[in-house]
């Protein structure tokens, strides 16, 4: 699945990236991995062409489980699934 390119301008995703960089001190590679995963998640839930802000309040545990199940079916690495 192609990541949604607009996902990175979502206010909550931007706050998460700021947290990763400031509080956790993650590397650029790790940050980019998170952004790619979140872009795919946005594509899965709202579509590749959707625009932020996204309705995160409407995103539930069952959505997350289906998304993670898709990662497993695509043979994603264990590190990717944990991230």
């Amino acid at each position: 699945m192609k990541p949604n390119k607009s996902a990175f301008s979502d206010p909550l995703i931007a706050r998460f990236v700021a947290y990763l960089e400031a509080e956790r001190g993650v590397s650029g590679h790790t940050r980019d991995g998170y952004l790619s995963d979140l872009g795919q998640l946005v594509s899965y839930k709202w579509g590749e062409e959707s625009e932020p802000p996204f309705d995160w309040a409407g995103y539930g545990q069952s959505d997350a489980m289906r998304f993670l199940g898709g990662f497993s079916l695509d043979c994603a690495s264990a590190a990717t699934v944990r991230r």
Side-chain angles (χ1 to χ4, degrees), residues 6-76:
S6 298
F8 313 131
S9 60
D10 180 80
L12 290 179
I13 291 177
R15 283 181 49 199
F16 179 65
V17 170
Y19 159 77
L20 289 174
E21 293 173 340
E23 301 292 326
R24 300 231 357 247
V26 300
S27 71
H29 186 278
T30 299
R31 180 202 61 225
D32 292 347
Y34 274 105
L35 286 173
S36 177
D37 297 343
L38 287 167
Q40 290 178 50
L41 182 144
V42 167
S43 287
Y44 168 78
K45 178 68 176 170
W46 294 288
E48 289 179 20
E49 303 298 323
S50 60
E51 295 289 327
F54 303 109
D55 179 23
W56 293 106
Y59 189 85
Q61 183 176 0
S62 61
D63 294 312
M65 297 304 289
R66 282 192 298 276
F67 179 69
L68 289 173
F71 261 14
S72 296
L73 290 174
D74 289 341
C75 299

